[in-house]
Amino acid sequence: MAFSSTLRGERFVFPNLGDLFAKANEEKSGDQLAGIAATSERQRVAAKMALAEVTLREIVEQPLIEPAVDDVSRRILEQLDQTAFAEISSLTLGEFRDRLLAGDYAGDALTTLQRGITPEIAAGLVKLMSNKDLILAASTIRNITRCRNTVGEPGVLAIRVQPNHPADDVAGILLSAIDGLTFGCGDAVIGVNPAGDSVEGVSAILHGLDRLITTLEIPTQHCCLAHITTQLAALKRGAPIDLLFQSVAGTQAANSSFGVSLSLLEEGRQQVLEHHHSRDMAWVGDDLMYFETGQGSALSADAHHGLDQLTLEARAYGVARQFQPFLVNSVVGFIGPEYLADERQIIRAGLEDHFMGKLLGLPMGCDVCYTNHADADQNSADNLLVLLTAAGCNYFMGVPCSDDVMLNYQSTSYHDAASMRRLFGLRPAPEFAAWMERRGAKDLLKLAEPVFRMTKHE
């Protein structure tokens, strides 16, 4: 089915919905790399005009990737709440956008509607929204999750402590984690990206993090961001797992390139859920998955089916929401300038990802980051950090001095977290804030001494 619009006497025709979505997208170097981007601003505006007139029912009835060849498409359609969708199916994207911005769908009204919104609907909406629109609409959405503590409530900004070490030295990891704790960071998760992917190395990190949390009685969760199969192998050898991590994408082929499938994710979640129930721990809730995503991942795997990277990112959130995650994180600038070329594109993508994820019911955080060969700097990161805090982002990264010495990229620091909480009057997760008040930051290094002694003896 073709779509068309006329702009000042010039007629633009888009042969199918996928092409219309791609041409209506804001400028992205990844879409240009794929050869699907608008070739002029006039064509982009014309595409937006045509897209605004498309009904939500048309989007659902014209899958951008055929369900017969893609399990993500099948699962999206199978899990669509038909009752919720019926309330909005006759609206055009333009009408739905206007109602969202007017506050017609807020609070419980949006919560009951979220399962009736497909990722493609969310992506289409974003293409019609300004940066300010994305901030305003996202700021009204609260998706609260619970594991060892509670994240996402109003007035809360959580932080992941990211104490990576280039040699996976457990003592070095714990020292960096303690540094983050003294700044009130770590309530989202203490999460380590391992330099290696061995079961032995991952197990050592998990045991070390668990000792830290247990010894200091910290109401938070830990995670080692290795491949899901490595984490599950470590679990079988007796390693404790709080959050099960995996990177995911928006197509079956892209997920296959990561070495994962929907069935593997479900199997892993069930194993860790049973593990949680067998541990003598004070679990607040059963949200136990941690997913990371990023615009451009499907294209980099040559698994994009000719679709634009924003739409594919929305579909990755469609994957994530099937598994009741505790955290979802858009690593927005990490994949490189081939996909997001500069500060403007990175900021836009961060705001897009955050809104889409929250609209679909996910506990969205963002790694406000950039690689050293992108046209961006720390001021760029500061700009996006402030905008996303205003938009109600659930959590950010806490990296020592913003410089990850293992992954070799630039992110946000413990100091940045303190600045955002002070600027917007926000606090850590409630259980974590109470722990901080009981313990006092000045006592944390002394309390951690038993952890370091155990690590040294091992």
Side-chain angles (χ1 to χ4, degrees), residues 287-335:
D287 304 324
L288 54 83
M289 301 293 283
Y290 176 10
F291 294 117
E292 288 191 344
T293 67
Q295 289 194 29
S297 58
L299 175 59
S300 69
D302 194 24
H304 61 295
H305 293 266
L307 299 183
D308 67 277
Q309 61 188 40
L310 166 62
T311 301
L312 293 167
E313 179 73 359
R315 287 169 55 92
Y317 302 148
V319 171
R321 76 172 175 179
Q322 298 174 37
F323 301 102
Q324 197 178 330
F326 181 72
L327 304 172
V328 179
N329 176 37
S330 168
V331 192
V332 67
F334 184 75
I335 199 165

Side-chain angles (χ1 to χ4, degrees), residues 91-171:
L91 296 177
T92 65
L93 276 174
E95 291 169 339
F96 192 31
R97 168 193 173 276
D98 291 346
R99 292 194 182 188
L100 277 172
L101 291 174
D104 292 356
Y105 303 110
D108 292 341
L110 180 60
T111 300
T112 59
L113 191 64
Q114 283 173 325
R115 290 288 176 169
I117 302 172
T118 67
E120 290 84 356
I121 290 172
L125 278 174
V126 165
K127 297 169 191 295
L128 304 180
M129 298 172 76
S130 69
N131 288 5
K132 172 176 56 62
D133 293 340
L134 296 171
I135 295 168
L136 175 63
S139 70
T140 66
I141 305 172
R142 287 291 166 188
N143 299 321
I144 300 169
T145 53
R146 296 175 175 87
C147 187
R148 289 201 196 193
N149 63 13
T150 306
V151 170
E153 292 180 323
V156 169
L157 174 60
I159 304 296
R160 168 190 162 187
V161 164
Q162 185 172 308
N164 296 343
H165 192 283
D168 285 343
D169 179 75
V170 175

Side-chain angles (χ1 to χ4, degrees), residues 14 41 48 53 78-79 88 98 118 131 164 202 213 248 269 271-272 277 288 324 340 353 407 416 419-421 426 442:
F14 309 95
E41 287 303 313
K48 290 177 185 288
E53 298 302 319
E78 289 169 359
Q79 297 196 345
I88 57 175
D98 291 346
T118 67
N131 288 5
N164 296 343
V202 169
I213 289 174
V248 294
R269 184 186 184 278
Q271 287 185 31
V272 175
H277 290 169
L288 54 83
Q324 197 178 330
L340 297 170
D353 296 352
L407 292 173
D416 295 330
S419 297
M420 290 305 100
R421 285 173 174 164
L426 303 172
K442 64 181 179 179

